[in-house]
Amino acid sequence: MTSLDGLDRAESDQPIIVILRAYLYLLGGVKPPTEVVDALRHIDPAAVSVLESAHLDAIRHLMHGAYGAAGDTLLEISKQFPTDELALAAGHQVDFLTGATETLLSRLSTSPLLTEGATETYPYLLAMLAFAYGENNEFAKAYTAGSRALVLAPDDNPWAVHACAHALFETRDNTAVSELLSSTRARWNSESCLLRTHLSWHHALNSMAAADDDALAGFADEVTGVLETECSAMQFTDAVSLLWRLRLAGIAGPDDFTAVADKALEIRDASNSAFIDLHVLLAIIGADRHALAKQVATEIGAEATDLAEHLTGTRRTAVGVAESFLYYCQSNPEQAVRQLISVLPAVVGMGGSMVQRDLALELLVTCAHGRGADMTIPAGIDRRPLVTYLRS
C-alpha cells in the first residue's frame, strides 16, 4: 500500500488505484482524505470492471459505517471471484474492525487460496488465517499456521510474527513471546513496516506480564515515541492502550498522557470506527481532561443520523466503556465496575483483537481488587492473560 505514493498522475487516476487508496484509510478505521473521496466520486461507472464495481460498493458501505454490509459484500466478491486476494484481505480487516471472529476464520478457511502453492501470496494469507485461529481460541492451530507462514516467507512476513506472538501470549508462554519478537525484530523494525509499532506494543505487554520492568520501559518509549511525528490512528490506539495499562499498574500518571491527549482531537476528526473513538476518549480521560472528554462523548453520541446503525451502536458502546474509565479517575471504582459490566457484552462489536479488548478487563480487575465480594467479576476473566500488576 505504501508504494502507492510513488505512482505518477496517470497511474494514480486508475480506478483500482483509487480503490486501494480508499481501502488504505478505511481499513485503518479512518475516513479517506478529501482528494481520495473526490477521486472516488469521479470514477466513471462505465470504465470499471464488475470486480472493481463490487469493491466500490464495499467502500461505499465502509464510508457509511455499514461494516456488516461491507463484510458481506466482500464475502460475495470472494464467491464470485475466488482468486481475488484483495477481497480476502480487505474482508479480514473488516472482520477485525467488527469483532466478527467466526467470520474472520470462515472467510479464510473456506477460500481456495488457502491451499499451499495456490498463489505466491499464500504465506501472507496463511498468516492471516493463523491470526483468525487465535481469535477463535484455537491457539495450537494458530501457532502451527503462523510458524509455517514464517518458514515460507521468513524475511517479510510481520503478520506471521504477529499471529505467533498472539498464540504464545494467550497460552502465557512469555519467554517464547520474548524470544520470537527479539529474534525477528530486524525483519519488522523498519519505519516502512505497518506493524512496527504494534509489535513493539506486544513486546511491551509481554514484558509487563513477565515483570521485566527494564524491557517494558524501553518498549513503552518506542510505542509512545511515534506520537512525536505523524502517526496513524492504529499507532495512536497502541500508545493509548499501553499508557492505560501503565496507569492501572501505578507506573504512569495523567502527565504521561499529554502527548496522546494533544493528538486526540486530530485523530477524532478522521475517525470512522468506534475502536478509534474509544481510544480518543481514553487519551483525553487519561490526561484528566474530564470536561473535554464529556464534550467529545456528547459529540460522538450526536453524530449524523445518516450513518449506519452498526457505527452509531458501537460508538454508544465506546462512550459507555470510556465512562467507566472516567469513574475510575474520579475515585469511584464501584460505579466504574457497574458501568463496565453493563456494556461488557457489546465490547466485542467495537472490534480489535482479544488482547486489545482486554484493556476493559484490566480496569475491571483493578477496580475490584481487594474491595470485597460485593463487586462480582464475571466468570472466566481469570483465564485471560491480563498484564496489569497491582502494586501497593
Side-chain angles (χ1 to χ4, degrees):
M1 289 288 194
T2 53
S3 63
L4 295 176
D5 295 335
L7 299 176
D8 60 33
R9 180 61 183 269
E11 292 172 318
S12 295
D13 288 341
Q14 293 181 34
I16 187 59
I17 301 302
V18 177
I19 288 169
L20 289 173
R21 286 189 184 279
Y23 272 141
L24 178 61
Y25 293 94
L26 290 165
L27 298 179
V30 297
K31 294 172 285 192
T34 302
E35 60 269 21
V36 175
V37 176
D38 288 342
L40 286 168
R41 289 173 177 159
H42 286 92
I43 290 178
D44 180 2
V48 298
S49 67
V50 174
L51 176 58
E52 290 167 339
S53 179
H55 276 291
L56 285 171
D57 285 341
I59 286 170
R60 292 187 189 99
H61 288 312
L62 289 173
M63 292 183 68
H64 183 56
Y67 282 90
D72 290 343
T73 298
L74 290 163
L75 278 173
E76 188 59 33
I77 294 174
S78 291
K79 291 177 183 177
Q80 293 186 35
F81 303 92
T83 60
D84 182 48
E85 295 158 348
L86 179 58
L88 204 58
H92 177 74
Q93 186 67 4
V94 169
D95 297 337
F96 167 82
L97 287 170
T98 56
T101 54
E102 292 182 0
T103 306
L104 187 76
L105 180 57
S106 63
R107 183 186 299 274
L108 290 157
S109 59
T110 58
S111 171
L113 295 177
L114 268 296
T115 301
E116 189 160 338
T119 170
E120 291 183 359
T121 58
Y122 172 75
Y124 313 102
L125 300 178
L126 183 60
M128 290 161 46
L129 177 61
F131 176 76
Y133 276 132
E135 290 300 291
N136 283 271
N137 298 302
E138 298 188 45
F139 304 123
K141 288 184 178 180
Y143 185 73
T144 297
S147 297
R148 179 59 180 164
L150 271 178
V151 168
L152 295 172
D155 297 324
D156 63 343
N157 200 348
W159 297 103
V161 176
H162 178 246
C164 288
H166 261 273
L168 293 169
F169 184 80
E170 292 284 3
T171 55
R172 292 181 169 85
D173 195 342
N174 301 119
T175 299
V177 174
S178 180
E179 291 174 351
L180 170 70
L181 294 175
S182 296
S183 64
T184 59
R185 183 176 172 83
R187 307 175 199 172
W188 51 261
N189 199 38
S190 67
E191 291 185 8
S192 62
C193 179
L194 295 176
L195 276 185
R196 179 188 187 186
T197 300
H198 190 63
L199 286 172
S200 293
W201 176 82
H202 273 282
H203 219 159
L205 294 193
N206 189 68
S207 299
M208 197 171 183
D212 186 344
D213 287 353
D214 290 340
L216 171 60
F219 294 127
D221 286 344
E222 288 184 15
V223 173
T224 57
V226 300
L227 299 167
E228 299 172 3
T229 58
E230 184 177 351
C231 69
S232 71
M234 288 298 179
Q235 289 174 316
F236 170 85
T237 64
D238 283 336
V240 174
S241 173
L242 178 57
L243 283 170
W244 258 108
R245 284 172 165 92
L246 295 176
R247 179 163 179 176
L248 293 176
I251 301 172
D255 290 347
D256 296 296
F257 284 79
T258 299
V260 288
D262 288 346
K263 194 173 283 285
L265 295 183
E266 172 192 336
I267 298 293
R268 166 62 190 148
D269 286 341
S271 175
N272 194 49
S273 74
F275 183 75
I276 304 298
D277 288 334
L278 171 62
H279 289 83
V280 166
L281 289 171
L282 293 182
I284 298 170
I285 292 169
D288 281 356
R289 301 177 187 179
H290 298 168
L292 177 59
K294 291 178 180 179
Q295 175 189 326
V296 174
T298 300
E299 293 171 357
I300 289 174
E303 283 289 321
T305 56
D306 63 341
L307 291 175
E309 175 57 29
H310 177 272
L311 186 53
T312 57
T314 53
R315 279 178 165 165
R316 284 193 293 269
T317 301
V319 170
V321 173
E323 286 175 347
S324 66
F325 281 82
L326 182 58
Y327 284 126
Y328 170 80
C329 291
Q330 295 172 335
S331 301
N332 191 345
E334 291 83 0
Q335 188 60 38
V337 169
R338 294 188 186 97
Q339 170 68 18
L340 194 50
I341 288 177
S342 71
V343 297
L344 205 56
V347 167
V348 65
M350 290 191 301
S353 69
M354 289 192 293
V355 176
Q356 289 170 315
R357 295 193 298 269
D358 279 348
L359 180 59
L361 304 184
E362 301 275 10
L363 176 64
L364 204 59
V365 172
T366 299
C367 287
H369 181 70
R371 294 185 179 272
D374 59 317
M375 299 177 66
T376 304
I377 300 300
I381 288 178
D382 60 337
R383 294 195 295 271
R384 298 291 306 146
L386 306 183
V387 302
T388 299
Y389 282 81
L390 302 165
R391 305 183 183 197
S392 58

